[in-house]
Structure formats: structure tokens, C-alpha cells
């Protein structure tokens, strides 16, 4: 399948919006300029900024209330689907609707429980056998470094269990199911190939029993100021700014899979339909687990909120380059009301959330049991991911840390990392070798 994106001509109403394809030098000036231009664009449509924001706010508020009602009657907010139903194609229309509405999902029994526990042990043997703890130089990641000084996030990418999971049929079928929730083709353009993943390599987390952790505050990962300031994102979010806010669809991939992202320590070069991880230990819902604001439309709220009058002209509600995009009690209290944690999960279950959703990790004191996961998202083949795949191939072949991550390269000399001779068809296609 040929995937093409980018190069579509500007729509008539699109002219005049300033854009910066790399982070501007004078951020406050650029913020003032883009905010004025976006307000003018909205007002040119005959609507006010307040009215347009009100449309999104009402949609979001209805969901916040529904989620509060679900919690009050003890219902699980996160949709749960059995892997067997995904594999057999027997997921009910009701479950698909819940996934679409909430933008997050638990896949029960994605992998066999014993297999996941075996992978966890194998990973530990892999790092121990290669003297990782003796050679560990401390956290090199600005963001996760705030968690603590112990290696909780291991900068390990190429262990046999990680690669086995990434190139497994089971992972491919879940990724294809999740990708299919998006509109991947419109205006005669195939924005991504829902049936082919690009094997975005990420790390593992191993959090031992007894851990005290402050968690991670609510934030989102798809970008920072580039979400308002680059031409591709201005097109992706066009309905928010051109008077057609009712047509804003968080599942529309149009213009999202080709453009650049501003450089920075928190950047992700890939387009991910969903972020995800696979549990390698059993975890209870109250042991410092992942939370999301399970409302995909909240992205529209986050994008429009800085344009209201109460936000200083040079402020995007705290969003700036080189830091994750925060959701805050000051600017987004309505959204944070809906923060919802995952239910209990078992080793082998996987956890997924739409790439634009706000997420956080709850604090924990004296954690019960392990909290071990491997991060494997759904990052379908598209121009942006194809470009990044070239550097992933190089990192894979040399055992290096991938380009999106700190250049730590622990595994270069590890003899038992996963080698090219063990790639199957899914793995070769995902790396662009097939
Ligand atoms: Fe994140």
C-alpha cells in the first residue's frame, strides 16, 4: 500500500496564518502573534472565540458528568476488551463505541500471564547478566529524572522479550484494531497504513515493591507549541479555528502524519494513534498507576483555552517548548475532574490511551508488589514514522539508544540482545527491512 501525505495546497481560508516550522527564537512574541491570528481566524468565521470554546466545553462537560456518574455507581470508567475477541473479530459494537468515547482501553489477556511473567524474569536476567546495575550512570532523561534517582525507567530497548512482543502477531492484531478507530484516509490521501506498525522502540519500567513515588503530573505528549504553530497541525486542528468546531474529530488523522515536531528532550518523532504498555507484573488499581482524562475531545478544549481573554497574551496556558504539555488546575479544572485510573491489571494485559489524551501517574507509598511494564505504542506506518524508522534500523543493528531518547547506548556491547536473524515478517516490515 502506498502512503502519501503532505503537500496538499492551502485551503482558501487558510492563508494568512503565521507558522513556524522550527521553534521560534522569541517565544513570547510568536505566542502573541499566533494567538492574535487564531482569534482573528475564528472571528472571520462570524463566531466569537467564547462561543466556539463554549461548544467544545459543553461536549466535554457532558462527558465529565457521565464519567462522574459512572464512578458514583461503581462502574469501571476504562473500557475492557478481551484479546480473544479482538483476534476473532467479535468485539461488540457497544465495546467499540465505549473505546471511541473514552479513547482508552484495557486489553485483557493480550499475552498469556505466564509468558508475561517469563518475559519479566528474562528482562531482569538480561540486564543483570550484562552488569547493567554496575554500569548504570544515573538518569539522563530530564523529564523522568524527576521521579527519583533509582533506575525505575530502564533505558533498554533491544532485549529479546521487547522485540518478541513488538513483532508478535498478538501485538499486530491489537495495533490494527486500535488504528482502525481512526480515519486513516480522507480527501484522497492515505494518511497512514492501519495494518502496518513501525515498531517504535521505547523503554521498560521496573518498579519494585516498597517504592515511594511522587508520580507524574497530568500532561499530554503529542507536542507543545508546534500544535498551534506549525502548518501541518494548523491544518489538523482547522475545525477548531475556522468556524466549524462541530466537525472537530479527534480520530481524524488528516495532516497529522507528515509534519515536523519541535526538537526537544520530550519530543516523540513518531505519530502514535495510541500510547500503550504491556503489564509484566500484576498491579492493583491503587498502587501508583496510570490515570487518563478519558475524553478525546478534551484536546479541542486544550487548544482553544489559551485564546480566552483571561490568559495573558504571551501565555499558552503554560505550554512551552522542551517541557511536556501540562494540564493544570489553574486552566483546566473541568478536565481534571475526570481523571480516571486503570482498574487492576494482570501481567499480560495491555493498557492503551489515545495519543492526545491527558494522562498522569498517581503517587504511591510503600508500593505493594512490582510495577513492571514495557512501553509499546501503536505507531502505524506513515511518512513521519517511515522517516524515523531509518534511525531506528541503525539503532537496532548497533544496539544503540533510539534517536528520540538520551544517547546512553548501554546495549551496544551486550552479546545477547535481539539480533536481525531473529526478525520475523512483522519485525522486518516494521523496521522497513522487508
Ligand atoms: Fe506522557
Amino acid at each position: 500500500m502506498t502512503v502519501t501525505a503532505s503537500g496538499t495546497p492551502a485551503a482558501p481560508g487558510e492563508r494568512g496564518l503565521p507558522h513556524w516550522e522550527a521553534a521560534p527564537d522569541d517565544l513570547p512574541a510568536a505566542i502573541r502573534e499566533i494567538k492574535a491570528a487564531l482569534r482573528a481566524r475564528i472571528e472571520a468565521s462570524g463566531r466569537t472565540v467564547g462561543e466556539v470554546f463554549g461548544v467544545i466545553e459543553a461536549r466535554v462537560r457532558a462527558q465529565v458528568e457521565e464519567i462522574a456518574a459512572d464512578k458514583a455507581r461503581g462502574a469501571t470508567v476504562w473500557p475492557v476488551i478481551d484479546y480473544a475477541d479482538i483476534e476473532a473479530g467479535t468485539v461488540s459494537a457497544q465495546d467499540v463505541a465505549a473505546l471511541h468515547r473514552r479513547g482508552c482501553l484495557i486489553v485483557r489477556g493480550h499475552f498469556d500471564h505466564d509468558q508475561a511473567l517469563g518475559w519479566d524474569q528474562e528482562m531482569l536476567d538480561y540486564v543483570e547478566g550484562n552488569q547493567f546495575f554496575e554500569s548504570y550512570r544515573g538518569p539522563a532523561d530530564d523529564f523522568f529524572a524527576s521521579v527519583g534517582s533509582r533506575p525505575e525507567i530502564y533505558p533498554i530497548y533491544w532485549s529479546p522479550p521487547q522485540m518478541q512482543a513488538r513483532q508478535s502477531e498478538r501485538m499486530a492484531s491489537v495495533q490494527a484494531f486500535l488504528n482502525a478507530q481512526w480515519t486513516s484516509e480522507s480527501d484522497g490521501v492515505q494518511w497512514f497504513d492501519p495494518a502496518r506498525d513501525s515498531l517504535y522502540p521505547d523503554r521498560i519500567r521496573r518498579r519494585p515493591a516498597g517504592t515511594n513515588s511522587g508520580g507524574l503530573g497530568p500532561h499530554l505528549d503529542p507536542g507543545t507549541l508546534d500544535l498551534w504553530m506549525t502548518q501541518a497541525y494548523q491544518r489538523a486542528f482547522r475545525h477548531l479555528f475556522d468556524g466549524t468546531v462541530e466537525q472537530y474529530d479527534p480520530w481524524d488523522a488528516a495532516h497529522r502524519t507528515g509534519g515536523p515536531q519541535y526538537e526537544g528532550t520530550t519530543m516523540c518523532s513518531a505519530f502514535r494513534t495510541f500510547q500503550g504498555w504491556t503489564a509484566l507484573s500484576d498491579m492493583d488499581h491503587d498502587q501508583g498507576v496510570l490515570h487518563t482524562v478519558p475524553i478525546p475531545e478534551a484536546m479541542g478544549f486544550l487548544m482553544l483555552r489559551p485564546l480566552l481573554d483571561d490568559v495573558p497574551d504571551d501565555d499558552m496556558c503554560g505550554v512551552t517548548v522542551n517541557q511536556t504539555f501540562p494540564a493544570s488546575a489553574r486552566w483546566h479544572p473541568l478536565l481534571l475532574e475526570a481523571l480516571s485510573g486503570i482498574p487492576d491489571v494482570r501481567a499480560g494485559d495491555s493498557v492503551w490511551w489515545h495519543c492526545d489524551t491527558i494522562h498522569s501517574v498517581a503517587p504511591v507509598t510503600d508500593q505493594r508488589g512490582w510495577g513492571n511494564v514495557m512501553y509499546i505504542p501503536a505507531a502505524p506506518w506513515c511518512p513521519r514514522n517511515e522517516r524515523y524508522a531509518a534511525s531506528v534500523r541503525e539503532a537496532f543493528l548497533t544496539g544503540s539508544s533510539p534517536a528520540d531518547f538520551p544517547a546512553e547506548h548501554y546495549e551496544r556491547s551486550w552479546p545477547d540482545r535481539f539480533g536481525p536473524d531473529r526478525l520475523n515478517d512483522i519485525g522486518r516490515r516494521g523496521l522497513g527491512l522487508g
Side-chain angles (χ1 to χ4, degrees), residues 328-348:
S328 68
R330 179 172 181 202
W331 300 117
H332 317 107
L334 175 67
L335 304 182
L336 298 183
E337 280 178 39
L339 256 188
S340 305
I342 58 170
D344 294 350
V345 293
R346 283 172 43 86

Side-chain angles (χ1 to χ4, degrees), residues 143 219-221 275 359:
F143 180 53
H219 69 279
L220 53 161
D221 296 338
Q275 301 210 52
H359 53 285

Side-chain angles (χ1 to χ4, degrees), residues 375-397:
Y375 297 100
I376 302 180
W381 202 255
C382 62
R384 192 166 148 184
N385 294 354
E386 184 172 358
R387 273 197 303 279
Y388 185 61
S391 71
V392 170
R393 276 194 297 280
E394 179 64 23
F396 169 66
L397 294 171

Side-chain angles (χ1 to χ4, degrees), residues 81-166:
I81 294 177
D82 286 334
Y83 172 75
D85 283 324
I86 294 174
E87 188 183 79
T90 53
V91 179
S92 70
Q94 193 183 351
D95 281 347
V96 171
L99 163 60
H100 220 69
R101 194 160 179 74
R102 297 276 185 260
C104 58
L105 181 68
I106 307 290
V107 177
R108 287 270 183 239
H110 189 170
F111 294 98
D112 179 74
H113 188 248
D114 287 343
Q115 163 144 57
L117 294 178
W119 276 342
D120 189 47
Q121 181 60 47
E122 205 182 319
M123 209 107 72
L124 183 62
D125 294 344
Y126 177 69
V127 295
E128 280 186 345
N130 288 295
Q131 281 80 49
F132 171 67
F133 297 113
E134 291 83 345
S135 58
Y136 182 64
R137 297 181 294 268
D141 184 311
D142 295 343
F143 180 53
F144 285 105
S146 64
V147 172
S149 58
R150 273 190 58 80
E152 177 172 309
I153 305 287
Y154 292 21
I156 300 301
Y157 306 89
W158 307 116
S159 70
Q162 283 165 293
M163 283 302 292
Q164 284 161 16
R166 287 175 195 146

Side-chain angles (χ1 to χ4, degrees), residues 189-254:
V189 179
Q190 174 92 46
W191 303 102
F192 68 76
D193 179 349
R196 179 180 179 184
D197 194 74
S198 67
L199 258 68
Y200 184 79
D202 205 327
R203 303 170 282 193
I204 60 172
R205 187 190 80 176
R206 301 193 86 252
R207 214 165 68 179
T211 292
N212 298 316
S213 167
L216 290 173
H219 69 279
L220 53 161
D221 296 338
T224 57
L225 291 177
D226 38 4
L227 297 167
W228 291 273
M229 291 184 175
T230 62
Q231 199 162 35
Y233 275 123
Q234 289 170 355
R235 288 175 179 167
F237 294 114
R238 64 200 176 284
H239 292 301
L240 299 175
F241 306 122
D242 69 359
T244 59
V245 64
E246 286 81 1
Q247 291 173 49
Y248 167 65
D249 175 6
W251 301 96
D252 181 1

